[in-house]
Amino acid sequence: MEKYEGRAIFQRVAIGRIWYYTKEEQSIKRCRITDKEAEWQRYQRARQQAVEELKALYEKAQKEVGEVNAAIFEVHAMMLEDDDYNASVRNMIESQEVNAEYAVASTGDNFFRMFSEMEDDYFQARAADIRDISDRVVAVLSHREKKQDLGTEPVIIAAEDLAPSETVQMDKDRMLGFVTELGSANSHTAILARTMNIPALIGIPVKPEWNGRMAVIDGYHGILYLDPDDKTLEQMSRRQQEDKERARLLEQMKNQETVTRDGRKIHLYANIGNPADVASVLENDAEGIGLFRSEFLYLERESWPTEEEQFQSYKLAAEMMAGKKVIIRTLDIGADKQAAYFGLEHEENPAMGYRAIRICLEQPEIFRTQLRAIFRAGAYGRIAVMYPMITSVEEVRRIKQIAEEVQTELRRQGIPCGCAEQGIMIETPAAALISDLLAKEVDFFSIGTNDLSQYTLAIDRQNSRLDSFFDPHHPAILRLIRTVIENGHKEGCWVGICGELAADLELTEAFLDMGIDELSVAPGMVLAVREAVRKI
């Protein structure tokens, strides 16, 4: 038996034989051409055909993994319209007098290297997208079709890397899981794996000679077993059956109310990082989105997102949730979440530094742009907005003034807008201790227990050396939570928890005893929390 450690993408177990995926080698010859304009037009026709293929893939993915996850193929089509990409192809054809296949392959290689060498995980993940669209255009120019036949037996796919289109084109009924050497947890392929509930590992040095060998993916510990011994096979088979039985039992929680045995109703929402996560929210039957971390729109790019770009993302989430509440947290950048174009200076203690609402109030043009996008999206669904890192009543009043000015401006311009509810994050001891005053200013509180815990205990959650000192069940934290709930209710505010503690099943009953109104958890925890509530 051989054992390899990697990074788990989806926590499940897969058992089956390896099917080693080899990308079709396209031998690209450099040929000298005489009619440069004709060659450019040949590329344009191939590019258009590739766009049509991507539209067909979008339709297929829409049925299998949902509209949000299918959007990657729209992105690929947009990449084929990119001015820089097309300019590079044209320049090679005209200046080097080379055939379109060579120009496309070279451009793809150049862009791939550029993105791969970037430090940002997001841009590294986009390298695979660039290679995918280039391969597709070359295949069209060479009159080759991109096909994948997994055969009849369900298999574990092993590959150097997998592009989103390759993943979707494979028969998911025959995919037990996949293992790749390259890729990242932020890649679209990883998102698809989680959405399709496929166990997956990355960072495993896969080899062609593994083809046909029996393997086990342990998605809980990030381990791949090759030719597992009987004991390992028995253990993993038992865990797999336990997962299936657990999932089957939790399925019974779908379409059930999140209500205690004595009739107390709790709102059970889900946390998301981007619109792609909405599919998982719906799949797990969450009643709404309790935390939309809007900073992803800023972190996944090299320049400021426009009002229109933000509006489209928020609108998509609102429409997908079809009338269920979507609570969008305004920009929470800073500390461990950095974007170079913000130009934030180095700080000795960034967790307590220039971040979140402090940036928004210091740079109101950023804040106003985001609020315009959020309020506009509010006309297309049930959107609420909340503000992070609050420490004073004065901050809330300044925020409300800006928000009112933005809404007035939109109405004056004749632009539909919404967002009736406005709330704040309670994630600092200061906010918790003056929650009686803050409750007079807002419609709701959402307790961010991640930051509240570290600030209360004076312990950096990301410092592994302090793990033994960090106690999320510390009485001081629980007392602050109870205080916030009581103060909020006195002033007519509903109160929720959106931090990690919301999914802590050991605390569910305690939170209900405190009078919590809402819990917002990772999509995959929704049914487990509902089950816990219904037993109380």
Side-chain angles (χ1 to χ4, degrees), residues 444-462:
F444 66 91
F445 290 151
S446 187
I447 304 173
T449 55
N450 301 350
D451 273 336
L452 183 62
S453 297
Q454 75 167 346
Y455 293 142
T456 301
L457 301 178
I459 289 177
D460 183 355
R461 292 182 297 112
Q462 299 185 64

Side-chain angles (χ1 to χ4, degrees), residues 10-28:
F10 185 69
Q11 293 188 336
R12 288 294 184 273
V13 171
I15 302 173
R17 295 196 176 277
I18 293 283
W19 185 83
Y20 186 82
Y21 169 72
T22 306
K23 293 179 186 287
E24 182 181 0
E25 292 296 331
Q26 302 190 85
S27 179
I28 309 298

Side-chain angles (χ1 to χ4, degrees), residues 379-391:
Y380 296 87
R382 193 179 169 200
I383 281 183
V385 59
M386 66 179 177
Y387 309 100
M389 202 62 182
I390 299 299
T391 60

